[in-house]
Amino acid sequence: MLSPQFKALYKKEFQSFFKTPLGYVFLVIFLFGLGYMTFEPGRGSFFLLREASLRAFFEYVPWMFIFLVPAVSMKLWADERKRGTVELLFSMPVTVKVAVLAKFFAAWTFVGLALSLTFPMIITVLILGRPDMKIIFLGHISSMFLAGAMLSVGGFFSAMTKNQVVSFILSVATCFILLMADSPPVLELVGTFAPKYFLNIFESLSLQGHFESMGKGVIRLSDLCYYAIMISFWTFSSIVLLNENKSE
Amino acid sequence: MIVVESLCKNFDDFFAVKDVSFQVGKGQVLGLLGPNGAGKSTTMRMLTGFINPTSGHAKICGHSILQEKEKAQSHIGYVPENAPLYDDMDVREFLEFIYDLRGLPREQKVSRVEEILKLCVIEDVESQKIETLSKGYKRRVSLAQALIHNPDVLILDEPTDGLDPNQKHEVRKVIKNLAKEKTIVISTHILEEVDAVCDRAIIMAQGKICFDGTPASLKAQSPTGRLDDVFRSITMQKEALC
């Protein structure tokens, strides 16, 4: 089913994370950061909750992702275009669609690997009590969807510019707005120029809202559709964009 | 092998390539000459399917570069300008990646990569990271990458640019060896190169073809018998006309 081009590119992209310090820095910061935030002695901390759940953990997942996921996606295309290897790639019998998907899934797998390495958290709560495994499982699925959505946003901005830093900043900003779309400050800002019905649509685009809803242990069709649309929209936009500007 | 019919490419209102047509047969080595910005690279990029022509048409081994792009691409080996490579891979790994990317049969992978390492004389650096290689080696790796699927058509964009005289000689030797069974298109602005490897030359200026013939007939046009003079007079004329 999968074309050899997809497989070759997927494998190469995934391995490339471990060819540079990027992959290791990502893993260390992500795991340390999440671990620290989960157990830090402030409000909402794991210990203060006094329950065997990963609520404190999942609360910080979006905030780790917002800086780290764009760092993974920023090089996907920007680097390739800057070095000119994009010319090498697309003179092979590889379509833009296959290449975009292969890179996206490789990056997604990498973030998935990082997330799976937080397994000691699960062991911890299992030792401490009897957690609701369904909620923990759905929390991870939800985190993966969140990462997928952010990666597709980042992939788009990486395809837009040759400069990795610009791609990073644009991705972080866009992810932040999407994440906070249902919060009063962002809504107020949008409300200054947009009509009321648009505000309602905009509010429902919030990544945070959909992330939390699934993390409560309910699979809603609307959440699944939301992620599917989000990822396809940004990925499709990347394909269109790259078809236009790959040779510039 | 290569049929090009009135190929044009505009970038907004800039005409990079205007109405270029030519045919290259098997065993021919075509040199695309011209000053910088003449449209050589753009022509080559259109042939390799990296960019689409604004109008016109081209066929590689009977496959259209528009309708059957992937089929046409599978017959082409391409060395882009400045030979871009994935710098963080090592040489063998890179060649294996290109082999897989081309969708070639898995069983012969190891033996084919071995063969190509030998052919391009890069065996001693096979486990080195590409970014640590010298320019000459990088160029040869890029050539190896273009040859891995044994293509019928080779398109080389300034393959000897920036190399020292010995390395130039090496690369030209490889090209000459390949010339018998392949169709090769080389772009260059070094005139001695045309003399050394090509049996046909096309001079481009301002996106148009202004000379098409053998290097010998090109020389014959000049009273001094020097390629430099003919090149200058032909391309300057063209620029004056535009």
Side-chain angles (χ1 to χ4, degrees):
Chain A
M1 190 189 99
L2 294 173
S3 69
Q5 283 83 7
F6 180 91
K7 279 189 222 159
L9 202 55
Y10 174 85
K11 187 177 143 205
K12 180 223 143 214
E13 285 295 322
F14 183 72
Q15 286 174 346
S16 79
F17 287 112
F18 302 98
K19 292 252 158 63
T20 56
L22 173 72
Y24 301 102
V25 170
F26 179 94
L27 288 177
V28 169
I29 302 284
F30 178 76
L31 295 174
F32 176 81
L34 257 183
Y36 180 78
M37 298 234 234
T38 307
F39 295 111
E40 59 93 29
R43 75 191 162 84
S45 128
F46 179 80
F47 297 115
L48 289 178
L49 286 174
R50 307 192 73 77
E51 62 179 40
S53 80
L54 287 182
R55 231 167 74 198
F57 170 81
F58 286 121
E59 202 172 308
Y60 290 111
V61 165
W63 301 109
M64 289 308 286
F65 275 175
I66 201 163
F67 291 108
L68 290 175
V69 169
V72 169
S73 63
M74 70 178 184
K75 76 173 184 85
L76 288 182
W77 289 104
D79 195 34
E80 193 112 23
R81 284 179 57 210
K82 184 145 205 159
R83 290 194 203 185
T85 46
V86 68
E87 194 172 347
L88 188 71
L89 182 64
F90 289 125
S91 65
M92 310 265 164
V94 178
T95 58
V96 173
K97 189 176 107 192
V98 167
V100 166
L101 289 177
K103 280 182 178 247
F104 169 73
F105 280 106
W108 206 3
T109 312
F110 175 73
V111 178
L113 172 78
L115 201 61
S116 69
L117 287 177
T118 60
F119 70 90
M121 301 274 183
I122 302 176
I123 297 175
T124 310
V125 286
L126 275 175
I127 292 170
L128 291 176
R130 278 190 305 164
D132 185 343
M133 284 310 280
K134 189 183 136 212
I135 288 186
I136 291 180
F137 178 71
L138 281 179
H140 280 97
I141 297 289
S142 188
S143 305
M144 275 310 283
F145 278 128
L146 180 69
M150 286 181 171
L151 277 174
S152 59
V153 171
F156 174 79
F157 285 111
S158 182
M160 196 162 90
T161 165
K162 277 185 190 176
N163 188 316
Q164 294 196 37
V165 180
V166 172
S167 131
F168 177 79
I169 293 172
L170 288 175
S171 315
V172 172
T174 310
C175 286
F176 181 77
I177 291 171
L178 282 174
L179 197 63
M180 300 293 284
D182 58 354
S183 74
V186 174
L187 281 178
E188 251 167 53
L189 175 75
V190 177
T192 55
F193 58 84
K196 188 113 202 310
Y197 66 90
F198 180 79
L199 219 56
N200 289 335
I201 300 173
F202 189 78
E203 190 176 359
S204 67
L205 284 179
S206 160
L207 278 168
Q208 178 89 345
H210 292 274
F211 174 72
E212 279 172 359
S213 128
M214 195 183 266
K216 281 178 191 136
V218 211
I219 308 177
R220 287 195 309 183
L221 191 63
S222 65
D223 291 335
L224 292 178
C225 288
Y226 167 79
Y227 282 123
I229 290 170
M230 200 69 173
I231 294 172
S232 348
F233 169 76
W234 289 101
T235 308
F236 180 73
S237 305
S238 312
I239 296 172
V240 173
L241 190 65
L242 266 177
N243 266 321
E244 282 301 311
N245 72 2
K246 64 182 175 189
S247 61
E248 276 164 23
Chain B
M1 288 301 230
I2 306 177
V3 182
V4 179
E5 277 166 23
S6 51
L7 220 50
C8 295
K9 181 72 191 177
N10 310 349
F11 294 108
D12 297 324
D13 52 357
F14 172 69
F15 295 85
V17 173
K18 278 180 266 184
D19 199 24
V20 164
S21 309
F22 59 84
Q23 294 194 4
V24 198
K26 193 173 171 171
Q28 254 191 344
V29 182
L30 169 69
L32 268 184
L33 281 145
N36 289 324
K40 293 168 292 175
S41 292
T42 309
T43 307
M44 292 184 142
R45 286 175 168 185
M46 284 193 276
L47 288 181
T48 56
F50 178 58
I51 53 177
N52 288 332
T54 311
S55 67
H57 199 75
K59 277 184 173 175
I60 308 285
C61 299
H63 302 291
S64 155
I65 57 160
L66 293 170
Q67 286 93 36
E68 307 168 284
K69 192 158 146 186
E70 267 109 272
K71 266 194 189 149
Q73 284 175 328
S74 66
H75 287 281
I76 303 177
Y78 178 41
V79 175
E81 201 174 355
N82 302 323
L85 300 163
Y86 291 105
D87 284 345
D88 50 10
M89 299 176 96
D90 60 48
V91 173
R92 176 182 282 274
E93 189 187 12
F94 172 72
L95 292 176
E96 285 180 348
F97 163 64
I98 297 291
Y99 187 94
D100 289 337
L101 199 61
R102 289 238 175 233
L104 303 170
R106 195 173 275 209
E107 302 77 48
Q108 286 118 43
K109 183 155 93 178
V110 177
S111 62
R112 180 63 190 160
V113 168
E114 211 65 59
E115 217 174 290
I116 216 81
L117 283 169
K118 237 178 238 149
L119 182 75
C120 297
V121 211
I122 42 176
E123 298 143 289
D124 4 326
V125 293
E126 59 158 294
S127 51
Q128 264 189 50
K129 256 195 179 189
I130 291 176
E131 63 185 352
T132 65
L133 298 178
S134 71
K135 236 180 186 173
Y137 271 121
K138 278 188 188 166
R139 215 44 74 93
R140 273 183 266 168
V141 172
S142 191
L143 202 57
Q145 157 280 123
L147 288 169
I148 199 137
H149 54 306
N150 197 13
D152 302 311
V153 175
L154 260 184
I155 296 182
L156 315 172
D157 200 348
E158 303 192 353
T160 58
D161 188 44
L163 301 184
D164 70 36
N166 292 339
Q167 293 168 329
K168 276 185 189 165
H169 181 78
E170 284 295 320
V171 169
R172 281 179 201 155
K173 214 166 76 189
V174 176
I175 294 171
K176 266 192 172 166
N177 282 337
L178 293 166
K180 287 157 217 146
E181 68 253 50
K182 295 194 195 309
T183 308
I184 304 181
V185 180
I186 297 181
S187 86
T188 178
H189 48 240
I190 312 163
L191 295 162
E192 37 162 331
E193 198 148 287
V194 183
D195 229 4
V197 291
C198 303
D199 44 32
R200 182 172 158 203
I202 285 181
I203 297 185
M204 286 180 81
Q206 310 275 332
K208 286 184 189 159
I209 294 184
C210 29
F211 173 87
D212 186 350
T214 61
S217 70
L218 186 62
K219 265 189 198 166
Q221 284 198 6
S222 155
T224 52
R226 285 180 52 206
L227 280 171
D228 288 38
D229 299 333
V230 199
F231 179 79
R232 256 188 83 74
S233 71
I234 290 179
T235 54
M236 295 300 274
Q237 236 175 41
K238 194 82 199 175
E239 268 163 33
L241 282 176
C242 302

